[in-house]
Amino acid sequence: MKNDLNVDQIKKLWILDLIIQSGSLKGAAARAKVSPSAISQSLTALEKNVGKSLIIRDRGSIQPTQDALTILEVVRPAFEVFERLSDLGSQPIPQMTWLNFGTYESIAVEILPSLIHRLRERMPQLKLGLRISRTDQLLTMVRKGELCSALVTEVDGLEKFYSVPICEDRLGVYVSKHHPIAQHGWKAVAQFGLGSLAPGKDGLPRYYQKFMRKIDAAKPTVLSESFETLRAATISGAIASVLPTGVAQRTDELLEITPESVDPKLGRHKIFVVSQTNCDKEEADFLAAESKRLLKNRILIS
């Protein structure tokens, strides 16, 4: 680099790493908690300082150049050290031989790979049990003692449990960026149909119901118990779908078309770790701390 390495340049290198890990400027912005324009400005300044292009943009996707990979090969070990240092003040690991919890699919695919790796490093003998289900069913399993704890979305009745807030998310209507559906804007909902979460035995959560009433869209044409299934159908260009932003922005393939008249706060909801009030709170607190760290690309609760 042209100038001596300083804190500002280290931050720009960290942002470059976030861009490559996230696969998009928007994803990096969410993880860094800044605007996409700030990410773009940081990348431009870094490329100017290095004197070389670091990212290749192609049809909405990005790829690192060989120069970017060479630079990150040098600096990533330092970032890993910083990550370990941040763990020094993190939630202590309780003494346990079995961690048994539940969550819904779109959270599981986001946290489970890293959680397994982390637990294997720190507690190699620990056994992990995971149940995948809807929030109402997970709460029933916790209440009956079939699960020690669960990651669930915001619903009525959580005051009956020991609960720890993890992060926030919000709903939006999304279409594929790379198919003709993207050219229709909000009209895509009428022309291609709308995918939505199927009601559970207790119906849809209150925040979801309010969002659906406000967008005043036609009755959903595709109902699914899985946001991941809806996401896959949306990426294919088949339909528009109501998705949590954290699910939709996992890659840079979807475009939000929610009407501007809809309050951005509408559809916001919290994600909690819950357990029975008479259970070991240390285990729930540990799962909450790990989940908050792994879901840091979402809107964290301060």
Side-chain angles (χ1 to χ4, degrees), residues 69-278:
L69 294 176
T70 300
I71 291 172
L72 290 178
E73 185 178 357
V74 175
V75 300
R76 269 180 175 159
F79 295 154
E80 293 173 1
V81 170
F82 292 146
E83 182 74 18
R84 295 192 191 101
L85 288 174
S86 68
D87 292 340
L88 293 177
S90 63
Q91 184 71 25
I93 300 180
Q95 294 299 316
M96 54 184 178
T97 58
W98 178 259
L99 177 60
N100 185 32
F101 72 99
T103 189
Y104 53 100
E105 185 182 25
S106 58
I107 289 289
V109 299
E110 196 162 347
I111 73 167
L112 192 59
S114 295
L115 184 61
I116 291 174
H117 178 72
R118 185 171 175 80
L119 291 176
R120 183 173 294 167
E121 281 186 336
R122 303 176 71 180
M123 302 182 69
Q125 303 304 316
L126 180 70
K127 294 182 179 180
L128 184 66
L130 176 66
R131 296 285 295 273
I132 303 296
S133 194
R134 297 282 293 271
T135 288
D136 54 353
Q137 297 166 328
L138 292 169
L139 291 176
T140 297
M141 285 187 272
V142 172
R143 189 180 298 113
K144 291 182 177 181
E146 297 173 8
L147 287 174
C148 298
S149 53
L151 278 81
V152 300
T153 55
E154 179 178 331
V155 292
D156 294 335
L158 288 185
E159 66 277 359
K160 300 176 184 178
F161 298 86
Y162 174 70
S163 61
V164 182
I166 302 302
C167 62
E168 288 185 353
D169 210 335
R170 68 172 180 85
L171 298 175
V173 182
Y174 291 87
V175 296
S176 171
K177 284 184 179 180
H178 310 300
H179 291 81
I181 191 172
Q183 302 172 11
H184 295 270
W186 183 247
K187 293 180 180 178
V189 173
Q191 296 185 33
F192 290 81
L194 182 68
S196 175
L197 189 67
K201 65 176 183 178
D202 297 327
L204 291 167
R206 187 179 302 174
Y207 69 86
Y208 203 105
Q209 294 177 16
K210 290 181 177 179
F211 182 83
M212 295 298 288
R213 286 197 297 267
K214 184 62 178 178
I215 63 174
D216 195 27
K219 187 175 181 180
T221 54
V222 177
L223 293 174
S224 174
E225 292 192 343
S226 165
F227 278 131
E228 292 303 312
T229 299
L230 291 174
R231 177 175 173 269
T234 307
I235 290 174
S236 75
I239 56 172
S241 288
V242 176
L243 296 170
T245 299
V247 174
Q249 293 184 349
R250 199 173 296 144
T251 62
D252 196 32
E253 298 178 88
L254 298 180
L255 172 71
E256 185 172 1
I257 60 168
T258 308
E260 293 182 0
S261 59
V262 176
D263 187 340
K265 294 182 180 179
L266 192 68
R268 287 189 70 160
H269 55 282
K270 297 177 182 178
I271 297 172
F272 293 85
V273 165
V274 299
S275 69
Q276 288 190 26
T277 54
N278 60 351

Side-chain angles (χ1 to χ4, degrees), residues 25-49:
L25 301 187
K26 194 171 184 179
R31 294 181 64 176
K33 302 179 182 63
V34 298
S35 67
S37 62
I39 294 292
S40 180
Q41 291 170 13
S42 176
L43 175 61
T44 299
L46 181 60
E47 288 180 325
K48 183 178 180 180
N49 186 263

